[in-house]
Every structure is written in structure tokens, then in C-alpha cells.
Amino acid sequence: MKKYFCNPINMDYLYQFIVDFRDGAHTISREAADPSMILFQGKYYIFASMTLGVWASEDLVSWENHRLPEELPLYDYAPDVRVVGDYVYLSASKRGEICDFYRTRDVVNGPYEKIPGTFDFWDPDLFLDNDGRLYFYWGCSNITPIWGVELDRDTMQPKSERIPLIYGNAEENGYERFGDEHSMPPLTEEEIDVRLSEVLKEKGMKSEDMDAQTVRMVRGFLSQKPYIEGAWMTKKNGKYYLQYACPGTECNIYGDGVYESDSPLGPFVLAKNNPYSYKPGGFMPGAGHGSTMEDRYGNLWHTATMSISRNHAFERRVGIWPAGFDQDGVLFCNQRYGDWPMHVAQDTMDPWKEPDWFLLGYGRNMTASSFTDGKGPEKAADENARTWWQASGREPGEWLMMDLGAEYQVHAVQVNFADDPVDIPFPENIDGERIIDGNSKHRTRWILEGSLDGDHLFILKDCSRAETNLPHDFWVIEEGRPIRYLKLTILEVPYGQPPCIAGLRVFGKGSGDKPAAPVFDVERSGDLDMDVTIREQENTVGYNILWGFAPNKLYHSYIVFDTHQTVGALVKGQSVYVRVDAFNENGITEGDIVREVK
């Protein structure tokens, strides 16, 4: 039997009670982010922020969470793990305090040996070179760079001065510009002066009321400059590929760039293929701050942070995508259909293989037992994780129904629960910024039924007795089943809230024609932007805009369901080649035009 997964990966994402350190606001949301993925002793492991544990897998498809010892830095962000000899080394972020290292020969059971640190860091990355020398990279700021240093392998103490390696450059790298769709370019110093004066006036303060360090931090916060963070080093054929995240985790365009060097501590130059990891469209956007790992068959995979960011800026999930090096040594990541079902062969794979099944549920007719204003059932079919259907009641039995409009061969379904602001009492006397709810036994229970006529129902998936809490549950009907209607009945959700569904996503195959090859126009509207306008055509569900720095290297993509899109991820002075593909329920049609845009 083939094995499939569908992003975001299917696992329990823990709730947090968060007190905003800036204004004391209280929020409740689920989170996992900043994943470090490794292969160790034949198994795969993901360490991610705010999970209180580690996820383990035999096949990159089914993941199991294991709690880790309390003495580890479980509340520190961006855990980094690397295999060094017979050990796995772990560290995590704690700005302003010295950060320690830990190592173990047994990831799940421990014990973990503590190695005292000597300096503080944020977003760490440890890298063991082929010659046995150990290097360390870190940085998370819109003011300071990604740093690098060589470490003593026995003491984990620096052997050299830290070296600045990557600075933000949003004036030339369009993908580094902040805001959804790169809508917030960095401000000039004069513009920052004006913003700062406005903030001080609003708060009844003067600049002399703050010390120099605070003024610098506030100016950085107001600057709209990109956060340069989340380093990860990969080496291939003697070349070093230093990956980094930008510009901000709450943005739909959160991604990873890459610089190259012939030395682990540089100097580094911007790679031609940038951004390396970039997923601004589709159901759940974002593909930044992650790691790149070779599996047991020699395939390369990239895992990174996906963004919901509605209840809290750090409301995030984890995704995995195929990656690789092309014949010219260019590092790439394939996110063309990055939240559709992916087949994981337990063998060498083609990272550019097309999906086996296609999106069936976009924009379909939806009905429900009830709904609240502005959160109608149609929101569960709009391919947008940031909107959702919400039932008006809390009692078991609220339901949602999708009409595919015709009978299709259904092969896979993903049920995506959402969190409206959770209406429960907030814990008192939180010690620190947050509490992770890792001890409550939350359950998500539901039944999914199918039908050919809307009246006679048959059970597709019965989770009425589930002991799990999986907000993005996914399963496969590999042989397929003819279905027109799908009815989801919800029996239990965490905290007894009105159930919310961000996406009832259905995949399979139709028996009709594929769409025609799209006709489009593209124009570079500045050094960093281009506008793509597609001529609307019948028999098409959506389009995939592909671009790259060469006609045979269209490594970037943007799924859209409209006929116009501005792409703001270009690099100044670099020519761009563009193609537009079309897809519907029956397949994908590649565009027959690749245009150079200077």
C-alpha cells in the first residue's frame, strides 16, 4: 500500500495560554513551528517549538508525539537538533540568558546530558562538517545578522570570534519585504524618525525617557525591516548552503532564502535560486524557518513553518516538502502543490512528480446545521485556512455537507478544524509569558459520511470514539470510491467550543477533460515585483504561477484561484522566466509558454 501525507502534517498541535508581554492581552491558540528534522538510527524525528516533546516517524507519514524530560528547554523557541557521531545534540533559544546544550543517544527515552553553554543565542543551528569540525549559526532580528562561529567539539565553547554572515537586504531581495504579499517595504531612517515621534507622543514620552538600547529596539520594531532568522546549514559537493528565514512568521510570504559559500564561515553570496522555500498561496501559506534533511534513501526533504496567525501571530503549523539539488548544484524545494496529498515512496523519488490526485472540493456548494454571521459553510470550501465555518451551537451533532456537483472518484480527505477565539476562563497567575496545555486530554470526535444522492449515506471515517486531538486529520482511500456528497458530523472538540472547520478538503479524480493551456500576460512592475494576468478560461479550477532564474529552473510557485496576481519575491537585476499551469478535477495542464521578464 502506498503512503501519503498532506500538509499541514497530521499531528496533535498543543494549545497555549499566552500573555502578550507588550500589552498584557490574553490569547489562546495552537502552535508548532521552527521544525528541525533529522534521521537518527533509522527513524525520523521532528523537534518543533512549543510541543513539549518530539515527533517520531518510521516513514515521514505517520508521526507519534513523545513527551520529553522537563529539564530540557521545552519552553524555549526554535529547538535545533543535529546528529553528531553517536549523539543527537539539542539546543533552543533564550535571548538574554546563557543557552545550554544537551545530548543523548536515545531521543525518546534519554537520558539527556547537559553541556553548559557560554553565551546566549536565538534560532540556533549546529553543523558538523565532514572533517569533524563543528560550527554554529544563530540570529533572529531585523537589526543584527545571522552569525557564525566554530565550536570546540568537546566543550561546545567558541573557538573564534563570531562572524556576521547574512544581513537583511529587502531593497534588493523582494522576498525579504515584510507584510502579507510583501506589502510593507522597509522604511527610511527619516520615516522611522517620524514613526518614533508619533509613538512617543501617543504615550506621552520623550526619547530621553528611554535608554539607548530600548530606543534601538523600538526603532527596529517600527522599521518594517525583515527579520533574518532560522539558520540551517546544508553541505553538498564541497559547497555550503546557508538557509535563513524571512521576513516575518505571521505573513503569508514567510519563506527561506539561501546563500552559498566554499567555506562554512563564508564569505557567503546570494544563491541564484531565491527564495529557496516559498509557499504564499494554497490552503495554508508559509514555508519559512525550517530544516533540510536527507532520508534513508537519499531523497532530500525540507520542513518549515506554515502560518494561520489569526488568534495569535504565532498560531502556526508544520509542513514537509520534497527538495533536492539539480545538475548544476542549485538547491530547490518543490512546493507547487504543497498542501495536496503527497506520495512518499520508500525508495528514491522524483521530487517533481505530479500529484496522484487533484483538488475536488474548491468552491463547492456547502450547507450546514447552523452557522454564525460571517462564518457560513462556504468558508470550509474556499481553500483558505484563515477563514472558517463556525456552528452557532455547541451541542454534539452540528454538521457540514459538501456537494461536489457530480460523482467523483474520491481518494483522500483532509478535515481541518479551526479555532475561533476560545471562550473559557484564562488561567490565573501564569508564571511567565505562557502555559502550554500539555496535560489535558482533549479529543476531537466526528463522523464523515458519503453519498451518491444526498439521502442514502455510508460511513467513510468514524472517529466517534477517537482518543486523539488531530486538527488536520487526513486519510486515504487508495482504491478510490465514487462520491458526490460528503457530510461531516461533529461530536466533540476541545474546551466544548462551537465547532469550526477551515477546510473540508477532498481529493481524487474526475473523468472529464483537463483544462486548456492558459494564456497570460506578465509585466515587471518594478525591480522586485511582477504582475501576472491570466485570461479566464472555462473548465479550470485554479492556476499555478511558476517562475525562476532560467527557463529550465522554474522552482518557485504560487497557486491562485483568480486571474491576476502580483508576485513580489523577485531579486533586483535578475531576469525571470514565467510559466502558468492550469488545473481542475481531472488533471494539470502545463502552460506552453515560458516568458523572460527583465
Side-chain angles (χ1 to χ4, degrees):
M1 182 176 179
K2 290 184 176 181
K3 297 188 176 184
Y4 295 84
F5 72 89
C6 186
N7 288 320
I9 53 178
N10 186 18
M11 57 182 62
D12 186 0
Y13 294 84
L14 300 183
Y15 284 94
Q16 299 176 77
F17 298 88
I18 306 170
V19 180
D20 194 307
F21 71 93
R22 293 166 298 185
D23 57 13
H26 291 177
T27 56
I28 303 171
S29 65
R30 292 188 247 202
E31 176 184 11
D34 320 317
S36 290
M37 182 166 65
I38 59 169
L39 172 63
F40 180 63
Q41 296 177 348
K43 293 188 71 171
Y44 303 104
Y45 298 95
I46 291 179
F47 285 72
S49 295
M50 304 302 134
T51 61
L52 298 181
V54 59
W55 295 326
S57 175
E58 300 280 354
D59 54 14
L60 294 176
V61 171
S62 299
W63 294 89
E64 183 179 0
N65 184 271
H66 299 272
R67 289 291 291 267
L68 288 173
E70 296 294 333
E71 61 267 22
L72 295 178
L74 304 181
Y75 272 76
D76 294 349
Y77 264 109
D80 172 69
V81 287
R82 286 286 190 152
V83 179
V84 180
D86 295 331
Y87 289 92
V88 167
Y89 279 68
L90 165 69
S91 62
S93 308
K94 188 178 291 184
R95 185 180 285 119
E97 298 183 37
I98 290 176
C99 302
D100 299 317
F101 295 89
Y102 301 82
R103 70 177 188 176
T104 184
R105 296 176 187 265
D106 187 333
V107 172
V108 172
N109 301 304
Y112 282 78
E113 173 191 355
K114 180 178 177 179
I115 306 173
T118 57
F119 63 104
D120 70 306
F121 48 76
W122 200 268
D123 287 6
D125 176 50
L126 191 65
F127 170 70
L128 179 67
D129 208 345
N130 301 101
D131 58 8
R133 296 170 71 176
L134 199 61
Y135 297 90
F136 190 68
Y137 309 91
W138 75 98
C140 176
S141 173
N142 64 354
I143 301 173
T144 57
I146 299 290
W147 306 94
V149 72
E150 184 177 359
L151 296 181
D152 185 283
R153 189 164 169 175
D154 295 321
T155 66
M156 302 300 287
Q157 296 187 17
K159 295 180 66 174
S160 62
E161 294 295 321
R162 64 181 184 178
I163 300 172
L165 302 178
I166 297 175
Y167 282 93
N169 185 14
E171 290 79 14
E172 297 188 5
N173 300 333
Y175 63 91
E176 290 186 0
R177 290 177 298 172
F178 202 80
D180 277 357
E181 305 296 353
H182 306 291
S183 58
M184 299 170 62
L187 302 181
T188 66
E189 292 302 310
E190 292 75 16
E191 290 171 326
I192 297 172
D193 288 339
V194 172
R195 287 275 184 93
L196 180 60
S197 296
E198 292 172 348
V199 170
L200 292 175
K201 182 179 180 180
E202 180 181 332
K203 296 188 176 297
M205 298 175 60
K206 299 180 180 179
S207 56
E208 50 264 32
D209 296 333
M210 300 183 291
D211 58 53
Q213 178 66 16
T214 302
V215 171
R216 184 166 178 257
M217 290 179 60
V218 173
R219 288 182 65 86
F221 179 76
L222 297 173
S223 69
Q224 298 183 181
K225 293 181 179 179
Y227 275 78
I228 304 300
E229 56 191 39
W232 185 269
M233 175 64 81
T234 300
K235 184 180 182 182
K236 181 72 171 181
N237 295 332
K239 182 171 286 188
Y240 299 85
Y241 298 80
L242 183 54
Q243 299 136 64
Y244 70 103
C246 63
T249 191
E250 66 270 35
C251 306
N252 76 310
I253 42 73
Y254 192 45
D256 287 337
V258 59
Y259 278 69
E260 301 174 351
S261 178
D262 295 324
S263 166
L265 292 178
F268 284 87
V269 297
L270 187 72
K272 288 184 177 180
N273 183 45
N274 263 299
Y276 154 55
S277 173
Y278 187 74
K279 188 190 173 302
F283 172 68
M284 187 176 292
H289 194 147
S291 56
T292 303
M293 176 208 73
E294 186 175 289
D295 70 15
R296 62 171 70 97
Y297 307 105
N299 305 301
L300 212 62
W301 295 90
H302 184 65
T303 180
T305 306
M306 306 183 81
S307 172
I308 300 174
S309 301
R310 282 298 176 262
N311 290 300
H312 188 270
F314 285 6
E315 184 183 15
R316 302 176 294 177
R317 303 292 190 261
V318 173
I320 302 174
W321 301 273
F325 292 93
D326 70 12
Q327 68 275 12
D328 299 314
V330 175
L331 178 62
F332 64 79
C333 185
N334 178 12
Q335 290 148 330
R336 289 183 179 178
Y337 300 92
D339 47 33
W340 291 18
M342 293 186 216
H343 172 222
V344 183
Q346 305 305 300
D347 201 344
T348 55
M349 293 176 51
D350 174 8
W352 295 105
K353 181 181 180 297
E354 280 195 354
D356 289 342
W357 308 313
F358 312 107
L359 182 65
L360 302 180
Y362 174 72
R364 297 303 189 182
N365 183 52
M366 305 292 294
T367 54
S369 54
S370 68
F371 60 90
T372 58
D373 290 344
K375 296 168 185 175
E378 73 281 357
K379 301 294 185 182
D382 65 0
E383 279 294 287
N384 184 353
R386 295 175 167 183
T387 65
W388 48 82
W389 162 70
Q390 182 184 45
S392 61
R394 300 169 181 247
E395 295 301 314
E398 295 281 357
W399 56 265
L400 179 72
M401 180 174 277
M402 172 182 284
D403 178 2
L404 295 175
E407 183 181 308
Y408 288 95
Q409 199 72 8
V410 172
H411 286 270
V413 180
Q414 186 187 48
V415 178
N416 295 273
F417 284 81
D419 292 307
D420 214 60
V422 178
D423 182 21
I424 61 172
F426 205 82
E428 298 181 358
N429 303 319
I430 289 183
D431 183 16
E433 184 182 349
R434 75 187 67 230
I435 292 177
I436 302 174
D437 185 2
N439 295 319
S440 299
K441 187 60 178 178
H442 295 302
R443 296 178 303 209
T444 300
R445 291 178 165 178
W446 45 269
I447 297 173
L448 185 72
E449 297 168 288
S451 175
L452 294 175
D453 59 9
D455 295 320
H456 299 87
L457 300 169
F458 47 84
I459 291 178
L460 293 172
K461 181 80 169 179
D462 186 345
C463 290
S464 60
R465 298 183 179 180
E467 295 297 328
T468 55
N469 178 30
L470 299 172
H472 306 286
D473 208 353
F474 170 77
W475 77 98
V476 166
I477 311 169
E478 188 172 358
E479 67 280 6
R481 185 160 185 177
I483 297 171
R484 173 171 174 171
Y485 298 89
L486 297 100
K487 182 179 181 182
L488 178 68
T489 302
I490 301 164
L491 305 175
E492 182 178 347
V493 297
Y495 303 118
Q497 299 295 292
C500 301
I501 299 293
L504 179 56
R505 308 183 69 223
V506 185
F507 300 90
K509 292 182 179 180
S511 57
D513 295 329
K514 295 181 182 181
V519 177
F520 70 97
D521 294 312
V522 58
E523 180 180 1
R524 195 149 183 166
S525 50
D527 290 331
L528 311 179
D529 304 279
M530 67 178 178
D531 288 308
V532 180
T533 302
I534 306 163
R535 187 177 301 170
E536 189 171 1
Q537 59 188 36
E538 295 181 354
N539 196 32
T540 299
V541 171
Y543 304 93
N544 210 341
I545 301 169
L546 312 179
W547 72 96
F549 68 91
N552 62 339
K553 300 183 190 295
L554 306 181
Y555 295 154
H556 316 303
S557 58
Y558 198 141
I559 280 187
V560 297
F561 297 94
D562 204 347
T563 55
H564 179 268
Q565 182 63 50
T566 297
V567 175
L570 308 188
V571 176
K572 184 177 180 179
Q574 186 181 76
S575 292
V576 181
Y577 295 82
V578 184
R579 187 182 88 205
V580 177
D581 296 347
F583 61 87
N584 64 11
E585 302 89 347
N586 309 309
I588 299 166
T589 301
E590 290 189 1
D592 55 6
I593 299 173
V594 176
R595 295 185 179 175
E596 182 180 10
V597 186
K598 296 183 179 180

